[in-house]
Amino acid sequence: MTNPSIHATAIIDPSADIAEDVEIGPWTLIGPDVKIGAGTKIASHVVIKGPTEIGCNNRIYQFSSVGEDTPDLKYKGEQTRLVIGDNNIIRECVTLHRGTVQDRSETTIGNNNLLMAYVHVGHDSVIGNHTILVNNASLAGHVVVDDWAILGGFTLVHQYCRIGAHCFTGMGSAIGKDVPAYTMVTGAPAAARSINSEGLKRRGFTKDEIAMIQKAYKLIYRRGLTVDEAVLELKASLADYPCLQPLVDSLELSSRGIVR
């Protein structure tokens, strides 16, 4: 019996594991080793290649390329994956590449993310939850974007960089170093400007928490301390202000140095 939620022109490999209520538009191609969870809607002219696992209640718009081989020259056709969580919106012409065996063998996208038109997520990258990547934001390979970060349009992120939780990047930012949690950066090359105070207000941070985060920002950027020295001072305040933990974590996990 024909599934009425799958258009007759869709091309679906028999081995694909697709939940019964998934909607698939015309001329979409779904290859082998693809799993798609319940409630997901896929528009027309989408290409999904495996191994790829897509969770529940996602929306994938037309002309997106999901789970394609990475163009990284070290990739030689090894078995790698793309894993996408639940409740994500993937807009027009987004490109999401699988991983490489030289790193994680997996590109990972969490839950409740919005990837706007022409966003690119390179191999082995990790996107957390509740992030927004605005039109044409591009992640090179091995990039980490933590929860609630917002990347402005045409933001470019160099490989191996980490974008901390609740960060905000201005349009056209070119990021070549790690961005600590809560920080707002702009420019090419990107420079730290302030904390993302408006974003923190919208997410329910208290006035005291925001004031403490602002104080921590000044400690990092205005006092001439090394990152290690700043971390030691921030840790002394963690008991009273646990909101500083993501900032401490992002500083301690930094491998490329932080945007200044």
Side-chain angles (χ1 to χ4, degrees):
M1 181 177 179
T2 302
N3 186 338
S5 63
I6 298 178
H7 196 274
T9 61
I11 302 170
I12 302 173
D13 189 275
S15 70
D17 182 0
I18 300 171
E20 290 185 3
D21 63 345
V22 170
E23 297 182 16
I24 301 175
W27 307 113
T28 283
L29 170 66
I30 298 178
D33 298 316
V34 172
K35 182 177 181 180
I36 304 176
T40 291
K41 298 180 180 180
I42 301 169
S44 66
H45 299 88
V46 174
V47 176
I48 304 177
K49 295 185 177 181
T52 290
E53 182 175 338
I54 300 171
C56 299
N57 302 312
N58 294 285
R59 182 77 185 271
I60 303 176
Y61 283 75
Q62 54 269 23
F63 302 107
S64 290
S65 175
V66 178
E68 184 56 271
D69 297 349
T70 173
D72 191 305
L73 294 176
K74 65 178 176 286
Y75 179 73
K76 303 300 181 184
E78 299 92 347
Q79 190 86 337
T80 60
R81 300 203 308 161
L82 167 67
V83 177
I84 300 173
D86 303 328
N87 305 308
N88 296 288
I89 298 173
I90 298 170
R91 295 292 312 200
E92 302 87 347
C93 303
V94 168
T95 54
L96 309 174
H97 289 165
R98 303 195 316 277
T100 61
V101 295
Q102 289 82 7
D103 188 5
R104 308 177 60 252
S105 296
E106 179 178 301
T107 302
T108 308
I109 298 172
N111 307 313
N112 302 293
N113 299 292
L114 170 57
L115 278 59
M116 295 189 187
Y118 296 94
V119 161
H120 172 67
V121 178
H123 63 90
D124 302 292
S125 292
V126 179
I127 296 178
N129 306 309
H130 303 284
T131 70
I132 299 175
L133 277 62
V134 180
N135 303 60
N136 294 96
S138 296
L139 311 182
H142 319 284
V143 169
V144 176
V145 180
D146 287 329
D147 296 351
W148 297 103
I150 298 176
L151 274 60
F154 292 90
T155 292
L156 305 176
V157 185
H158 193 278
Q159 60 187 11
Y160 294 103
C161 286
R162 188 181 195 102
I163 310 298
H166 301 278
C167 285
F168 184 95
T169 74
M171 64 179 182
S173 296
I175 297 171
K177 293 187 176 181
D178 299 329
V179 182
Y182 305 125
T183 303
M184 180 183 294
V185 302
T186 62
R193 308 296 181 182
S194 63
I195 66 167
N196 182 19
S197 56
E198 187 60 35
L200 299 182
K201 291 175 187 175
R202 293 177 182 178
R203 291 167 206 142
F205 283 72
T206 67
K207 289 184 178 179
D208 284 348
E209 287 174 328
I210 294 173
M212 190 61 192
I213 292 168
Q214 180 68 60
K215 183 178 179 181
Y217 174 87
K218 292 179 179 178
L219 183 150
I220 297 166
Y221 286 102
R222 305 280 175 81
R223 285 181 46 188
L225 301 177
T226 67
V227 170
D228 289 341
E229 290 168 342
V231 166
L232 285 175
E233 291 206 27
L234 291 172
K235 282 184 173 181
S237 301
L238 283 176
D240 295 324
Y241 291 95
C243 62
L244 296 180
Q245 188 67 60
L247 181 55
V248 170
D249 291 343
S250 66
L251 292 173
E252 290 191 318
L253 289 169
S254 176
S255 60
R256 291 184 58 85
I258 63 171
V259 168
R260 289 287 188 178

